[in-house]
Amino acid sequence: MTARARTNARRAAVLGSPIAHSLSPVLHRAAYKELGLSDWSYDRFDVDEDGLPGFFEGLGPEWAGLSLTMPLKRAVIPLVDEISETAASVEAVNTVVFTEDGRRVGDNTDIPGMVAALRERGIEEVDSAAILGAGATASSALAALARVCTGEVVAYVRSEARAAEMRQWGERLDVEVRIADWADAEQALRAPLVIATTPAGTTDALAAAVPERPATLFDVLYEPWPTDLAARWSAYGGAVVSGLDLLVHQAVLQVEQMTGRSPAPLDAMRKAGEHALAAR
């Protein structure tokens, strides 16, 4: 390897704990190959909140950026020099870009990734929507709905504590949020857009209640896939947006920010993700 090649080599990685399951290396490496960035590498590191500051301290000038998953999306905020308005709106950073002048810039590509995934399916605007669940992903879903939903969002939750959190996020994001009990979650399935943000298995019991003519389901899971709910939804002719769609679209934005190359190769990245999931 020549000295010039060593100088031009750039690094990026995904951090989180656990991290072995992450598809991010598959997606980013597929993008680098398609873009001809043979001197770029993308790895994964198991890093928890306690280890994050030390990891940052050890980064050299060859680093271009980082992808962050749980539990680091909030823990990283004190370690960056600035964060975007999008990231600030949900207090979550999933992308850090290292600029040429050494600054660390945090962003959130999950939210525009959700919007892009919906638009790919022709969903530009809805007059109402429903969210199943009230965890961390639900706040990003609310932020995405702030861009595509013109009316009420009904959030189906299990506890008053979660209900209070969703009300607070709604006020902060300027989204009209109505809280409903999880026991009534079957009613959500009749909304023009349903976003399922719950862990694997949580919505299985709802599959039998899918209406004959469902509209659009955005299920943020990608493994196992399809979920029972997504399978029934598709069988009844409804449009389904998957967690892989979200993962690919948010990764596209990360690649563009880290490499400065646009557009990132969406199709190649999706095919790589599909192939990796099929091989598991």
Side-chain angles (χ1 to χ4, degrees):
M1 182 182 291
T2 66
R4 178 176 176 136
R6 284 196 298 271
T7 301
N8 291 338
R10 304 303 307 278
R11 297 189 68 184
V14 59
L15 313 181
S17 187
I19 201 63
H21 68 286
S22 176
L23 279 180
S24 291
V26 171
L27 303 182
H28 285 252
R29 290 169 186 169
Y32 298 165
K33 181 178 180 180
E34 193 75 11
L35 293 170
L37 300 175
S38 58
D39 50 357
W40 281 65
S41 63
Y42 189 101
D43 302 297
R44 63 165 68 92
F45 294 95
D46 195 304
V47 178
D48 60 16
E49 294 175 79
D50 291 338
L52 189 60
F55 187 91
F56 264 73
E57 290 176 7
L59 298 179
E62 73 277 12
W63 282 86
L66 296 170
S67 308
L68 300 156
T69 186
M70 298 304 291
L72 306 178
K73 293 183 179 183
R74 186 165 292 177
V76 74
I77 293 177
L79 303 177
V80 298
D81 298 301
E82 62 180 278
I83 64 173
S84 67
E85 291 184 9
T86 301
S89 71
V90 291
E91 296 181 0
V93 167
N94 79 325
T95 307
V96 176
V97 175
F98 301 102
T99 65
E100 291 185 2
D101 60 1
R103 293 178 61 76
R104 303 166 174 174
V105 180
D107 193 14
N108 185 307
T109 63
D110 287 331
I111 295 166
M114 281 188 174
V115 174
L118 286 168
R119 287 178 175 164
E120 187 179 34
R121 293 296 196 279
I123 308 300
E124 298 280 348
E125 185 177 285
V126 292
D127 57 15
S128 62
I131 295 179
L132 299 173
T137 306
S139 61
S140 292
L142 266 182
L145 288 172
R147 306 184 183 191
V148 300
C149 184
T150 60
E152 181 184 69
V153 175
V154 184
Y156 291 81
V157 304
R158 293 184 183 276
S159 70
E160 181 53 42
R162 292 294 197 184
E165 289 178 8
M166 290 300 283
R167 290 191 190 97
Q168 291 174 358
W169 283 117
E171 292 175 5
R172 179 167 181 166
L173 296 164
D174 196 25
V175 177
E176 181 184 353
V177 177
R178 178 166 64 86
I179 303 299
D181 193 281
W182 183 263
D184 300 320
E186 290 183 1
Q187 297 177 15
L189 308 185
R190 300 187 180 277
L193 172 60
V194 181
I195 304 182
T197 69
T198 53
T202 306
T203 62
D204 288 354
L206 299 177
V210 173
E212 289 186 5
R213 295 182 179 179
T216 300
L217 170 69
F218 193 155
D219 194 325
V220 302
L221 295 173
Y222 63 83
E223 192 177 23
W225 187 262
T227 63
D228 288 358
L229 180 61
R232 179 66 67 91
W233 202 277
S234 293
Y236 280 15
V240 176
V241 185
S242 74
L244 181 60
D245 294 319
L246 168 59
L247 190 65
V248 170
H249 277 283
Q250 66 82 27
V252 160
L253 297 171
Q254 290 184 333
V255 168
E256 291 175 351
Q257 290 188 29
M258 293 179 191
T259 67
R261 302 281 292 274
S262 183
L266 173 67
D267 290 342
M269 294 169 69
R270 176 181 278 125
K271 288 177 183 177
E274 291 172 344
H275 180 76
L277 285 176
R280 289 184 176 181

